[in-house]
Amino acid sequence: MKEIAKAYDPKLVEPRWYKRWEDSGAFRGERREGCAAFSIVIPPPNVTGVLTMGHVLNNTIQDILARRARLQGKRVLWLPGTDHASIATHSVIERELRKEGVTRWDLGREQFIRRAWDWSDHHGGIILRQLRGLGCSCDWERTVFTMNEAYARAVSTAFVKLYERGYIYRGKYMVNWCPATLTALSNEEVIMKPQHSLLFKMRYEIVELPGQFMEISTTRPETLMGDTAVAVHPHDVRYRSVVGKHVWRPFPRAQIPIIADEAVDREFATGVLKVTPAHDALDFEIGQRHGLPALEVINPDATMNELAGKDFVGLDRDEARKLATRKLDELGLLVGQEPYQNNVGYSERADVPIESRISEQWWMRYPKVEEAKRAVRDGLIRFWPQRWAKNYLHWLDNIQDWCISRQLWWGHRIPIWYRKGCDRALSQNWHVSVDGPKDPENWEQDEDVLDTWASSWLWPFATMGWPSPNEKEARDLAYFYPTTDLVTGPDIIFFWVARMIMAGLEFMGEAKELLSDDELADRIPFRNVYFTGMIRDVQGRKMSKSLGNSPDPLDLIDKFGADGLRFGIMSVAPKGQDILFSEERMQGGRNICNKLWNACRFRQLSGALHDNTSLARMTARIQMSWFDEYDHWIIWRLVETVKQVESAFEKYEFNQLTQALYGFFWSDFCDWYLEVSKVKLEHPETSAHCLAIQDLVLRQVLLMLHPIAPHITEELFHRLGFVDEESLLQDCGVESPDQLLDLLSGAGIEIDQPAAEQVECLKEFVSRARALKSQYNLSNRRDVTLFFTADEENTVFIESHTVVIKRLVGASALEVRADVSDAPGAVTAIATVYLDLASTLDLEVERERLGKELFRIKRAVAAAKGRLGNEEFLKKAPAKIVAGARQQLLASEAKKDEIERLLAGLGG
RNA sequence: GGACGGCUAGCUCAGCUGGUUAGAGCACUCGGUUUACACCCGAGAGGUCGACGGUUCGAGUCCGUCGCCGUCCACCA
């Protein structure tokens, strides 16, 4: 028997076990036909990312699910990998180049991509190593990177299939344009930010009515050079007479028509809108309806071009705004300007305002939209918490085509080739395939790459060998797909979750428009989606680098251990709510590890370990005839806890899980059962039995706790001999509540419920006695004398527990009395307990204390009487409730009488 | 503007389909060298459940209105 150190040191335990698990192939996702499968694909972190608290939360949950599934005997695949993060990585490389004073065009595409690969190779994998430090049980041998060759083929294949099925088209439309990275963005990559802007009021002179003006409000005077109309609402009586006439655009000076369009808001400002079809989405639509020319005056990099006029050429949009305002003022056309708050779209990655711009791009009409809705609405895919389903459905209801081409270099290049020297606009000059044309010298490939999400939406099956799996991959795919759970944040429900569902439905089977329910069930990428909350700081602020409020998870692991951090973060995460993180809260996780360690240490010091390698061997050492109330009680509490844990897992309620285990282990097992054990261990005849029960409880606690705190539980499992040296805890399997009850009753152990409940009475008795000691400042004395008064039955019961009570209270004597006076007493359900103070009793203090008690109990009596005196209550409330109320009234009245008797005895 | 979530002890949260005197952890106060653990043990103080109204024998729990905080979607220039 190895002696256990006094304080638990995770550093001596965690790395050792992680290595052993990995070396022994414990994380390998291996098929076993006839055995239930469980699978998760990791939300791939950015290849160059580092571990954040968000990752800790997310991956801890996945690991908990995976490890629990292993314990349930399922074959588990947790498939890891990383994402190339096209625009994010691209931006990083460009930033580096800028420092060196060169652009990507100076460097050239090939060199640029090489640098991106170097960057990925160098930083890539850091985060995966960090996940190992957290204890994540991924099948690392299957690690996938979205830029790997096989994955890239999957991306091209998906594109080609969608093209062939008519979902992909090329077109010139309004796009969200990022002037910093010079690429189009999808709607989802644009975030709206409130801005303190200025609303400028200016006037345009009416051509046909010289000297008359129309007043227009705008936040963007720098676009007026691109105005090709002004618009009013068709029913706006103020302007009815001028519709069809023209106004003078001040510069470059030109006549532009006054048109009427329903899109104009009459209530806003003067109800006159300047229409700039080339630089505003709404204006673009108005322009389309009225056949207006779209005059582009802003370059892709947000500087002004020649069409803006010679004063403006080359100016940045902000400078142009100032100049335009000044010029308007000089011309006497600026009526005023006022502070104004509006929302401006920003590029998510580059964090600069986007420009709306007409641009030729590749677009995707989403496939299987209706089926994707059906899968969630009908519950084939379940969202946890459920409420996110509404969000999801709402987005799909309003879905718009997806701009999938990006004018970037790092990413999957679009598998389209154009015949050299021919018109790219004509599809007969296109070649669309995965492998490219047979005569590449006559073709040039599209320069653009695909949106990152157009690769990660294939993640659940492209990681498993789709579209051309080898034999093993095909069997794995059949076995592990659809995956069981997906764990992610609600912020990427549209970016990723919804798109993966559509991709799964479209690609995981034959091309088909409508799917039956069975087909739907086969094709969905996952059955459950668990949405985590966002990690915030104690003040509720988002974690951010600039605020410096994001702790480094590695520091936390260093301080609390991976297990401590995991337990801490899970106990603090309310279901579906954001998580307010503070380091203080992680202490609880570390503490319970230490407590666990010491409880096992106590077990080792208490007596030699017997053969603990199976539950049956342990129950064989337990005899029903030796069972006392405490044994019934702890086994009862254990079974209740197993039930709670089971239910918490089924409902993905992780804080419920930690709470149930913490409460049972700490309060019930350590604070009561182990304390009681100390008496039993003194006697050889009860010792072995008691230790066997301790072993049983510890074993089940370790098994239940293992998914949350894998390292320490593995260590202790071995130390207490619950598994042989060569095996692992995960090989044992955890019993369900029914299995546990069956095993117990198979060993002749039946829980005596009334006996178990009597322990609650003993606990109350002990607590009350301790409180009396505390009130009289005698906590440190272990030689006080206790008296009690009780009826005959309870007297016998209490006397049979005298030794334990004396031990737990810290008393040298416990004596039954017919009547007690001149001693402070406390009323409990089974007896009244008194502290023998001889002559030192403080009557005043006692009267006050009992008076308070009496007040409280009288309130309870009154409440119960009130209810029972109400005929409506007696008539309408269920019999069970009425009976309960009667019983409560009896108990309360008895207690009240007893307190009154005590008070009378004090002369009160 | 629309949708959703939250508002329960100083803090963070439980409280299932309405039913005994509303719970836990942390923090706090007091007392502790009890043969596992001070990353500990014991005792205690502390909420009337955001506001108002309604349904009901009975509401933290259901309904309505309002307020504050947060998230998402849309966006009026």
Side-chain angles (χ1 to χ4, degrees):
Chain A
M1 179 173 73
K2 278 186 282 181
E3 170 119 6
I4 305 188
K6 202 166 174 177
Y8 173 58
D9 183 358
K11 291 193 189 70
L12 300 178
V13 170
E14 293 180 349
R16 183 158 46 80
W17 279 112
Y18 197 86
K19 187 168 187 313
R20 164 102 182 258
W21 292 326
E22 208 178 345
D23 290 349
S24 66
F27 304 156
R28 228 174 258 149
E30 279 167 352
R31 255 178 296 118
R32 183 182 293 164
E33 302 305 331
C35 205
F38 177 93
S39 51
I40 297 189
V41 289
I42 202 169
N46 288 357
V47 62
T48 57
V50 292
L51 200 66
T52 64
M53 285 313 295
H55 292 121
V56 169
L57 173 69
N58 185 273
N59 288 287
T60 296
I61 292 172
Q62 292 174 69
D63 197 45
I64 287 172
L65 295 170
R67 288 182 185 270
R68 170 78 176 179
R70 286 194 195 95
L71 282 171
Q72 288 174 324
K74 294 174 187 161
R75 306 303 288 183
V76 173
L77 170 62
W78 182 11
L79 206 158
T82 47
D83 189 281
H84 66 288
S86 170
I87 190 166
T89 309
H90 186 102
S91 305
V92 170
I93 306 292
E94 281 210 304
R95 205 174 307 140
E96 282 210 321
L97 292 178
R98 213 171 302 135
K99 277 187 211 149
E100 298 166 21
V102 289
T103 68
R104 62 165 144 143
W105 291 276
D106 296 335
L107 198 67
R109 185 167 190 140
E110 207 172 309
Q111 286 300 314
F112 183 91
I113 290 172
R114 185 163 302 160
R115 277 189 76 139
W117 270 107
D118 286 348
W119 177 269
S120 300
D121 290 343
H122 188 243
H123 293 85
I126 290 181
I127 194 162
L128 300 183
R129 276 197 298 283
Q130 292 176 323
L131 287 175
R132 286 176 171 91
L134 188 62
C136 293
S137 59
C138 303
D139 184 351
W140 299 110
E141 291 163 22
R142 299 198 192 217
T143 306
V144 176
F145 178 39
T146 49
M147 285 297 278
N148 285 352
E149 207 184 325
Y151 199 96
R153 274 192 81 80
V155 175
S156 299
T157 305
F159 183 96
V160 172
K161 279 181 190 276
L162 286 172
Y163 178 82
E164 286 165 353
R165 294 171 193 179
Y167 288 105
I168 287 183
Y169 60 94
R170 189 166 170 79
K172 214 172 176 182
Y173 301 98
M174 197 51 104
V175 298
N176 306 299
W177 183 265
C178 172
T181 43
L182 300 178
T183 180
L185 300 172
S186 67
N187 297 340
E188 286 68 33
E189 289 167 294
V190 177
I191 43 175
M192 302 305 285
K193 290 191 182 183
Q195 300 290 304
H196 296 288
S197 315
L198 290 170
L199 187 64
F200 300 93
K201 295 179 182 172
M202 56 189 187
R203 50 183 200 160
Y204 283 3
E205 189 173 17
I206 301 174
V207 175
E208 289 84 354
L209 302 165
Q212 287 195 38
F213 294 85
M214 290 183 87
E215 190 181 313
I216 305 168
S217 294
T218 182
T219 52
R220 300 204 65 189
E222 74 276 18
T223 64
L224 77 84
M225 297 80 91
D227 289 0
T228 52
V230 295
V232 296
H233 194 275
H235 303 323
D236 194 331
V237 290
R238 291 172 293 180
Y239 304 111
R240 193 170 279 166
S241 61
V242 297
V243 171
K245 295 189 168 63
H246 296 77
V247 292
W248 284 109
R249 186 184 65 200
F251 47 88
R253 189 167 163 85
Q255 297 183 10
I256 55 175
I258 301 166
I259 59 171
D261 193 283
E262 305 244 338
V264 178
D265 179 3
R266 276 178 280 185
E267 309 297 316
F268 187 84
T270 54
V272 185
L273 172 70
K274 68 192 263 309
V275 183
T276 323
H279 296 294
D280 183 275
L282 179 67
D283 294 4
F284 178 75
E285 285 173 28
I286 295 175
Q288 294 264 297
R289 282 198 284 273
H290 297 268
L292 298 173
L295 268 187
E296 231 176 295
V297 296
I298 304 177
N299 290 316
D301 65 353
T303 60
M304 310 306 291
N305 67 17
E306 307 78 40
L307 284 178
K310 60 179 190 313
D311 299 350
F312 288 92
V313 177
L315 284 187
D316 178 75
R317 54 187 165 176
D318 294 322
E319 295 161 357
R321 178 173 304 175
K322 285 180 197 136
L323 180 60
T325 315
R326 208 161 57 233
K327 286 187 73 164
L328 282 169
D329 200 17
E330 284 164 13
L331 292 167
L333 299 175
L334 187 66
V335 180
Q337 61 187 60
E338 58 190 43
Y340 182 66
Q341 215 187 38
N342 64 341
N343 288 324
V344 173
Y346 271 65
S347 159
E348 194 196 17
R349 285 292 162 192
D351 199 32
V352 295
I354 55 123
E355 283 293 334
S356 289
R357 184 164 173 264
I358 299 166
S359 170
E360 185 144 44
Q361 300 287 342
W362 287 101
W363 301 82
M364 183 198 296
R365 189 160 61 80
Y366 284 95
K368 299 287 178 292
V369 175
E370 287 311 311
E371 264 79 3
K373 284 195 251 177
R374 184 148 64 94
V376 170
R377 213 186 296 117
D378 293 358
L380 288 171
I381 298 173
R382 300 223 270 167
F383 282 7
W384 306 83
Q386 231 281 318
R387 63 190 158 85
W388 292 110
K390 201 167 173 179
N391 240 349
Y392 164 89
L393 293 170
H394 183 255
W395 183 72
L396 284 175
D397 281 339
N398 297 289
I399 199 163
Q400 291 178 337
D401 290 357
W402 181 8
C403 176
I404 52 172
S405 46
R406 295 288 177 277
Q407 289 66 54
L408 304 169
W409 289 346
W410 176 241
H412 301 101
R413 199 157 167 182
I414 293 180
I416 297 239
W417 285 260
Y418 305 100
R419 198 182 297 279
K420 275 184 188 165
C422 297
D423 185 356
R424 284 188 171 198
L426 302 173
S427 61
Q428 63 260 38
N429 294 327
W430 300 353
H431 171 94
V432 185
S433 76
V434 175
D435 296 309
K438 295 219 166 60
D439 52 340
E441 63 280 6
N442 298 322
W443 300 82
E444 48 199 8
Q445 190 174 1
D446 195 299
E447 284 76 20
D448 291 352
V449 300
L450 286 166
D451 180 0
T452 302
W453 300 102
S455 63
S456 42
W457 75 324
L458 310 173
W459 189 248
F461 44 91
T463 48
M464 296 192 195
W466 185 90
S468 36
N470 61 32
E471 205 176 309
K472 178 184 180 291
E473 285 171 334
R475 287 213 202 99
D476 278 355
L477 198 55
Y479 187 73
F480 286 118
Y481 189 95
T483 63
T484 319
D485 292 339
L486 178 79
V487 180
T488 190
D491 49 330
I492 52 176
I493 189 165
F494 312 134
F495 273 115
W496 198 45
V497 178
R499 287 169 176 165
M500 277 193 288
I501 293 172
M502 290 185 277
L505 296 176
E506 178 65 19
F507 295 120
M508 290 309 285
E510 305 278 295
K512 213 170 170 189
E513 261 316 303
L514 300 172
L515 301 176
S516 70
D517 283 353
D518 286 347
E519 285 166 328
L520 218 54
D522 286 344
R523 293 184 180 209
I524 51 171
F526 26 72
R527 299 197 172 91
N528 299 285
V529 185
Y530 178 80
F531 290 105
T532 66
M534 300 267 279
I535 305 248
R536 296 165 176 281
D537 68 9
V538 212
Q539 294 159 54
R541 300 175 306 181
K542 280 186 182 169
M543 297 267 172
S544 80
K545 273 184 200 155
S546 54
L547 282 172
N549 60 353
S550 47
D552 182 352
L554 298 184
D555 287 348
L556 297 173
I557 290 175
D558 192 56
K559 269 188 193 149
F560 305 117
D563 290 337
L565 177 61
R566 289 166 61 118
F567 192 97
I569 195 91
M570 293 322 296
S571 60
V572 124
K575 59 178 171 194
Q577 292 301 119
D578 285 353
I579 294 139
L580 304 192
F581 178 86
S582 83
E583 202 172 299
E584 244 170 39
R585 305 226 179 112
M586 298 305 106
Q587 284 172 9
R590 177 198 56 190
N591 293 354
I592 194 167
C593 288
N594 190 249
K595 189 77 175 174
L596 199 60
W597 182 261
N598 275 290
C600 293
R601 178 164 177 264
F602 178 60
R603 167 64 191 88
Q604 281 202 335
L605 297 172
S606 299
L609 295 170
H610 293 81
D611 185 349
N612 269 344
T613 50
S614 75
L615 212 50
R617 294 213 168 87
M618 291 157 60
T619 51
R621 300 201 304 276
I622 301 172
Q623 297 284 318
M624 218 41 227
S625 52
W626 298 333
F627 254 62
D628 64 10
E629 287 86 350
Y630 304 106
D631 297 330
H632 283 294
W633 175 77
I634 197 67
I635 298 294
W636 166 59
R637 288 290 306 128
L638 172 67
V639 172
E640 288 304 304
T641 305
V642 174
K643 286 181 191 164
Q644 284 175 38
V645 165
E646 179 108 336
S647 139
F649 268 110
E650 278 167 8
K651 296 187 204 148
Y652 297 82
E653 288 176 349
F654 299 102
N655 62 340
Q656 195 83 28
L657 177 63
T658 55
Q659 223 174 309
L661 285 168
Y662 188 101
F664 171 70
F665 173 69
W666 202 301
S667 308
D668 294 343
F669 184 68
C670 292
D671 289 350
W672 285 97
Y673 193 77
L674 285 189
E675 290 308 315
V676 170
S677 294
K678 286 174 183 173
V679 174
K680 300 187 182 189
L681 294 174
E682 284 165 0
H683 307 284
E685 59 272 23
T686 46
S687 174
H689 165 77
C690 176
L691 288 178
I693 291 188
Q694 281 185 26
D695 287 347
L696 171 80
V697 173
L698 283 171
R699 180 183 185 274
Q700 300 314 113
V701 165
L702 291 174
L703 282 169
M704 287 190 283
L705 210 48
H706 181 253
I708 310 172
H711 310 85
I712 187 175
T713 47
E714 183 85 72
E715 172 76 11
L716 294 172
F717 213 68
H718 278 85
R719 281 181 184 252
L720 294 181
F722 295 134
V723 69
D724 58 67
E725 193 45 49
E726 300 74 46
S727 305
L728 294 171
L729 182 154
Q730 71 174 33
D731 304 323
C732 280
V734 68
E735 287 76 15
S736 71
D738 288 345
Q739 286 172 325
L740 183 61
L741 283 169
D742 282 353
L743 273 160
L744 290 173
S745 73
I749 299 167
E750 303 286 351
I751 298 166
D752 179 350
Q753 191 71 26
E757 276 160 20
Q758 276 186 300
V759 171
E760 299 297 342
C761 297
L762 284 170
K763 284 172 69 178
E764 189 196 9
F765 188 95
V766 168
S767 262
R768 292 304 200 137
R770 283 168 172 170
L772 287 174
K773 279 180 70 183
S774 185
Q775 278 149 12
Y776 282 88
N777 284 324
L778 294 171
S779 294
N780 53 340
R781 298 285 293 272
R782 305 199 53 76
D783 58 355
V784 299
T785 295
L786 298 176
F787 304 134
F788 72 93
T789 54
D791 62 26
E792 203 175 326
E793 192 185 347
N794 282 318
T795 301
V796 172
F797 175 63
I798 290 166
E799 283 183 331
S800 71
H801 290 276
T802 303
V803 182
V804 167
I805 291 171
K806 285 196 307 194
R807 174 70 166 244
L808 294 187
V809 175
S812 56
L814 174 66
E815 295 163 13
V816 62
R817 288 289 149 93
D819 188 27
V820 178
S821 57
D822 290 356
V827 181
T828 81
I830 51 170
T832 302
V833 59
Y834 308 83
L835 183 59
D836 177 21
L837 279 179
S839 55
T840 62
L841 175 65
D842 186 330
L843 287 176
E844 266 318 300
V845 171
E846 268 312 283
R847 275 193 211 113
E848 195 187 323
R849 188 177 63 79
L850 288 170
K852 257 171 140 179
E853 282 273 300
L854 187 63
F855 174 76
R856 234 181 272 167
I857 197 68
K858 272 184 170 167
R859 214 170 45 182
V861 169
K865 270 189 176 159
R867 249 200 320 281
L868 288 165
N870 185 336
E871 264 183 53
E872 294 295 307
F873 173 71
L874 296 176
K875 236 181 349 201
K876 293 180 182 168
K880 212 173 101 185
I881 298 296
V882 177
R886 286 222 169 86
Q887 210 176 348
Q888 194 234 327
L889 178 60
L890 283 177
S892 301
E893 276 185 323
K895 199 167 175 184
K896 192 195 82 174
D897 292 347
E898 181 68 4
I899 294 170
E900 279 171 342
R901 196 183 61 77
L902 288 179
L903 273 168
L906 293 171

